[in-house]
Structures are given as C-alpha cells and as structure tokens.
C-alpha cells in the first residue's frame, strides 16, 4: 500500500478515536484531558477532511469510468463531465495533502509566551518594545486569540524595558514562533526634538506554553520568595507582599511577577514562565549535544540574530531571513502580519519538503 495512504488512514483512525474519547463522561468532566484531546484533533483535522474528499473524488472517478462503458451517449457525456471535474479537483488536493503530511513541529499546537525587551537605543528601544507589544496584540486579536500580560516593567519614557504575555489559541506557537530574534527600528525617536533618524532595537523570544508533564522541575530546584510590588499595577502595590520572585537554581533563570491581583496569581504566573524558559533551556542543550544543525535560524529564538527591520521614513518592513520586503509598515504595525507570517510558514514548509526529498 502507498505510504501516503497508510499515513492518511492512520490519521483517520486517530481522528475517529479522539471523537469517541471526547464523548465519554470521564473525559468530558476532565477539562485538562478534554482540552488536550481537542487540540490534538484540531492539528489533524485538515488532513482528515482532505482524506475524506480524496476518497470521495476517487470514488467519483471510478464511478464515472464505469459509466463511460455504457452505450447511452447522454450517460457517457455526463460521465465524461463528472470525470473531468473530479480529476481537476484531485490535482490540487494531492498537493495540499503532501503539505499536510509534512512532519509538523509538535509544539506548533501549543499556546505560547512572548517576551519583549527594549535593547539598543535606550528609551527609544523601550518605546519600540511597546510598539511591538501593541502590534502583536492586534495580530492575536485578528486571529481570534486571547492575550494575557504576565510580567512587565514599564519604562518612564514609555513602552517597556520588559513585557511578557501569553497568547492562547489554536496553533498560537506556530503563528508567533518566527518572531524570536532582534527587531530593528529606524525612525526619528519620539524622545528627540531634532529630525535625525536613529536605529534602535528590541528583542523578542517566543516560548511554547508547555504542560506540567513536558518538563519536570523538582520543588527543590526552585527558590521562591515574596516581596512588595513596585510601580503601577493596582491599589495593592506597596501594601502587601504580593509580588513573587522565583529562581530556578540549576540554571539561574529568574522570574519576577507582580501584575497579578494577589500573591497566588503571581506565583502561578511565575511558575508558568519558569516552566517555559527551563523547557527551552534544556531543549537547546539537548539539540547541541545531539549535534543538531538547523538549515535555518527561523524560529530558533536566537536573540542576537537581526531578523527584521522596520523603516518608518520609507514605510518599509524587511524580514531578512527570507528576503521579504513590504512597503506597508503602517499596516504591519496595526497587526496586519499575515503576509509576513504566512511567507515564513511557507518557507518552513518548503524546507521540510526539500529535506524530505533528499
């Protein structure tokens, strides 16, 4: 049997198994398990539906060929029309199926955590970090995703020295993972009175929002302390020890959260961020130990890599990884990122196809 058909049948079987599982009372009552199964099913839904159409079209083709054997001219004419119509659909469908069967990053279906920091350029870097945060918020909203600020440090001049937020939605990590890296802005700084164009940067790193079972962190590895929150953030500020700082002792990764309504909320948020960062830290170590050399840095989260330039005077944005330039920076900053992200996704798929054929 064709290897592709074997894959499609396996997907069909799993899709139907999940449907049966999700009908069981013990699964419906287990929110975590139900959500996990829903996400898994969503990741294979397109391939499942494509296979159903594939089977129907092939059935129609076989039926039309049988009808062509009839003596009635009208039946033969109708059969020929049906055959041509089905074959015309089958060609593009086969291409779509080939793409759907490409190896998929299992982390693509996760929600994600996005961390933005003002970098080179002082106040202007922080202001630009705020602009990126706004841009991503609009983009997430357009996709029907939800966002939630988890950690922030506002800059006096505007924007953020640091802001971390969660993005929740189907394939959120798939849509945001390419944003990891250094983002460069060229414009007249909002803090300047003279009209000179300056270059500043903000760094972005995107983590998959992993589950508890994806990364094991013993309590003994964590140092947790509470302190009074500082700065803007609500009337509890400076009145109670609501802020939480967590240090992962083996790696030195530190998270400080104070934007939640209470200490428990801040602790849960800090643990979630620690889990994501520790997961990413050990994933990178494992990749290096295995000698993994990626053909492209897209999505690797390398902060030192300049991935994109936003040129305000020329209303231009350039993604340096794939050589894409769009002269609609104003639209991009309003969250119209589809053209950029879809091009990056397409590039990733083409690389997988290339590697698959080697």
């Amino acid at each position: 049997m064709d290897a592709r058909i074997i894959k499609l049948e396996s997907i069909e079987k799993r899709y139907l198994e999940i449907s049966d599982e999700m009908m069981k009372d013990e699964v419906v009552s287990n929110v975590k398990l139900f959500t996990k199964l829903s996400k898994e099913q969503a990741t294979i839904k397109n391939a499942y539906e494509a296979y159903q159409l594939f089977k129907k079209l092939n059935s129609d083709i076989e039926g039309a060929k049988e009808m062509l054997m009839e003596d009635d001219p009208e039946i033969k004419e109708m059969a020929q029309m049906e055959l041509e119509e089905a074959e015309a659909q089958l060609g593009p469908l086969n291409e779509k199926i080939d793409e759907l069967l490409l190896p998929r990053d299992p982390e693509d279906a996760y929600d994600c955590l996005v961390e933005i920091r003002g970098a080179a350029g002082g106040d202007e870097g922080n202001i630009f970090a705020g602009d990126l945060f706004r841009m991503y918020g609009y983009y997430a909203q357009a996709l029907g995703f939800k966002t939630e600020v988890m950690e922030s440090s506002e800059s006096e001049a505007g924007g953020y020295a640091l802001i971390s937020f969660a993005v929740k939605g189907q394939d959120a990590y798939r849509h945001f993972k390419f944003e990891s890296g250094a983002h460069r802005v060229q414009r007249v700084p909002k803090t300047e009175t003279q009209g000179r164009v300056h270059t500043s940067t903000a760094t972005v790193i995107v983590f998959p929002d992993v589950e508890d079972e994806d990364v094991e962190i013993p309590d003994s590895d964590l140092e947790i302390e509470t302190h009074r929150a500082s700065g803007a953030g609500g009337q509890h500020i400076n009145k109670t020890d609501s802020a939480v700082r967590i240090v992962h002792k083996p790696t030195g990764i530190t998270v400080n959260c104070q934007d939640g309504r209470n200490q428990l909320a801040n602790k849960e948020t800090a643990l979630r961020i620690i889990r994501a960062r520790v997961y990413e830290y050990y994933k990178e170590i494992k990749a290096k130990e295995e000698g993994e050399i990626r053909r492209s840095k897209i999505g690797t989260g390398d902060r030192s890599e300049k991935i994109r330039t936003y040129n305000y005077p020329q209303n231009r944005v350039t993604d340096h990884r794939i050589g894409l330039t769009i002269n609609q920076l104003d639209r991009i900053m309003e969250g119209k990122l589809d053209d950029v992200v879809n091009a990056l996704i397409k590039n990733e798929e083409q690389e997988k196809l290339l590697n698959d054929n080697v």
Side-chain angles (χ1 to χ4, degrees), residues 139-208:
Y139 179 53
Q141 187 177 25
L143 291 170
F145 297 165
K146 294 181 180 179
T147 58
E148 171 195 355
V149 174
M150 306 185 75
E151 183 184 9
S152 67
S153 176
E154 295 182 10
S155 169
E156 290 184 5
Y160 300 90
L162 161 69
I163 183 157
S164 296
F165 60 99
V167 183
K168 301 178 181 180
Q170 181 61 44
D171 285 352
Y173 184 67
R174 175 172 172 79
H175 284 86
F176 276 83
K177 67 181 180 180
F178 303 108
E179 298 307 300
S180 289
H183 294 243
R184 182 176 68 174
V185 62
Q186 295 173 327
R187 66 184 177 188
V188 177
K190 297 178 181 179
T191 54
E192 290 275 341
T193 55
Q194 298 179 352
R196 294 179 298 133
V197 174
H198 286 226
T199 297
S200 305
T201 60
T203 59
V204 177
I205 188 162
V206 182
F207 305 98

Side-chain angles (χ1 to χ4, degrees), residues 195-309:
R196 294 179 298 133
V197 174
H198 286 226
T199 297
S200 305
T201 60
T203 59
V204 177
I205 188 162
V206 182
F207 305 98
D209 190 6
V210 294
E211 305 291 343
D212 289 340
E213 57 265 28
D214 292 319
V215 55
E216 202 172 311
I217 304 178
D219 291 341
S220 58
D221 284 354
L222 299 177
E223 182 180 299
I224 303 175
E225 61 181 44
T226 59
H227 60 95
R228 293 194 177 185
S230 59
Q235 54 188 347
H236 65 278
I237 297 298
N238 290 325
K239 293 183 180 179
T240 61
D241 289 343
S242 59
V244 176
R245 181 184 293 110
I246 300 181
V247 179
H248 182 250
K249 291 183 283 188
T251 63
I253 294 172
T254 303
V255 173
N256 185 71
C257 289
Q258 64 177 42
D259 293 329
R261 297 186 63 84
N262 53 49
Q263 186 184 114
L264 179 60
N266 284 325
K267 181 179 178 181
E268 290 177 350
T269 298
L271 284 171
R272 190 169 159 195
I273 297 173
I274 279 285
R275 187 167 64 237
R277 290 183 182 172
V278 169
Y279 175 84
E280 193 72 12
Y281 177 88
Y282 286 119
K283 185 176 76 171
E284 289 180 6
I285 288 179
K286 183 180 179 182
K288 289 176 182 176
E289 288 176 348
E290 294 175 351
E292 178 183 335
I293 301 174
R294 304 192 182 193
R295 289 173 54 86
S296 167
K297 282 190 175 183
I298 293 176
T300 62
D302 184 349
R303 294 194 195 192
S304 63
E305 180 197 4
K306 180 186 70 179
I307 65 164
R308 198 175 296 151
T309 295

Side-chain angles (χ1 to χ4, degrees), residues 51-157:
Y51 184 42
Q52 304 315 300
L53 180 56
F54 176 84
K55 291 193 292 184
K56 179 182 181 303
L57 289 175
N58 277 286
S59 175
D60 291 347
I61 288 171
E62 290 301 315
K65 287 179 177 179
E66 289 181 10
M67 290 171 64
L68 283 173
M69 305 299 291
E70 299 287 337
D71 294 329
D72 190 324
E74 289 187 6
I75 292 179
K76 292 181 74 171
E77 182 181 357
M78 183 174 65
Q80 184 62 38
M81 290 175 60
E82 289 183 1
L83 178 63
E84 291 174 0
E85 183 180 342
E87 287 179 339
Q89 292 183 62
L90 194 59
L93 180 62
N94 276 320
E95 292 181 9
K96 181 181 179 182
I97 287 174
D98 286 341
E99 290 184 1
L100 290 170
L101 291 181
L102 286 172
R104 226 185 114 118
D105 184 344
E107 295 169 356
D108 278 356
Y110 280 115
D111 296 335
C112 65
L113 306 181
V114 183
E115 177 186 286
I116 309 172
R117 293 178 183 270
D123 288 338
E124 176 62 14
N126 293 338
I127 292 171
F128 182 51
D131 293 338
L132 290 177
F133 171 60
R134 177 174 172 272
M135 177 185 76
Y136 291 139
Y138 282 134
Y139 179 53
Q141 187 177 25
L143 291 170
F145 297 165
K146 294 181 180 179
T147 58
E148 171 195 355
V149 174
M150 306 185 75
E151 183 184 9
S152 67
S153 176
E154 295 182 10
S155 169
E156 290 184 5

